[in-house]
Amino acid sequence: IVTFVLLGFANGYVTARLAKYFKMRSWRIIFITSIFFPGQMFIAYFLLNLVHWGNKASSATPFMSILTLVALWTFVSLPLVLVGGGFGYRADELTVPVKVTSIPRTIPPQPWYIQYPAAAILPGFLPFGAAFIESVLILSSVWQGRVYYVDRKSV
């Protein structure tokens, strides 16, 4: 948690450098980045914790710990993001190493395996197939009393 909070400086710095590169000199962007991701994480954590509180679970986080997280976020992470944004806006502007030409180029037709439907479906076959075969072997060893060996070589 401490590392996440302290990396707010890097968040502000990188956001400011990119905003400056894209000619968006607004502190609103820096402020939004300091709230958006940590806010999503906090809301999800808080809602899950509400479920734990409702079920009177012993694994629920105490309310004072949640207030401590909010205090860390508000009084440490947010100022660090703003300070990092200040350093990012003061840094030199990013330069592209090559000049972009204004002459449009023709894009050759793509082979069938690079076009969208195939490129979206084909890469999933190998990992899904491997996971499916391993799952079948593991579940058959549990349900059917078979012995499952990870390495099939004889020792």
Side-chain angles (χ1 to χ4, degrees):
I1 293 175
V2 173
T3 305
F4 182 80
V5 169
L6 293 179
L7 283 175
F9 181 83
N11 177 12
Y13 183 79
V14 170
T15 303
R17 292 288 304 260
L18 289 174
K20 189 175 180 181
Y21 176 73
F22 289 115
K23 310 284 190 261
M24 298 184 297
R25 291 191 58 96
S26 171
W27 282 97
R28 189 174 139 222
I29 296 167
I30 306 295
F31 190 72
I32 287 172
T33 59
S34 70
I35 291 177
F36 186 70
F37 182 71
Q40 285 180 343
M41 300 297 287
F42 177 76
I43 288 171
Y45 183 73
F46 187 73
L47 290 176
L48 288 173
N49 206 33
L50 280 178
V51 172
H52 281 269
W53 284 338
N55 291 332
K56 296 180 178 29
S58 62
S59 60
T61 306
F63 187 70
M64 288 306 292
S65 296
I66 291 183
L67 285 181
T68 304
L69 285 175
V70 171
L72 275 173
W73 180 25
T74 306
F75 299 117
V76 178
S77 181
L78 180 66
L80 280 176
V81 171
L82 295 176
V83 168
F87 278 105
Y89 276 131
R90 286 191 195 109
D92 294 334
E93 188 171 339
L94 295 173
T95 57
V96 182
V98 294
K99 185 178 178 185
V100 178
T101 181
S102 61
I103 302 171
R105 296 184 181 184
T106 58
I107 300 173
Q110 301 295 320
W112 67 271
Y113 54 87
I114 298 180
Q115 293 175 359
Y116 176 70
I121 294 171
L122 288 178
F125 277 135
L126 183 65
F128 177 76
F132 180 75
I133 290 171
E134 290 295 322
S135 299
V136 167
L137 292 174
I138 291 170
L139 293 176
S140 68
S141 72
V142 171
W143 290 334
Q144 298 174 354
R146 296 181 182 165
V147 178
Y148 174 69
Y149 295 103
V150 176
D151 187 16
R152 297 187 187 257
K153 295 178 190 174
S154 61
V155 179

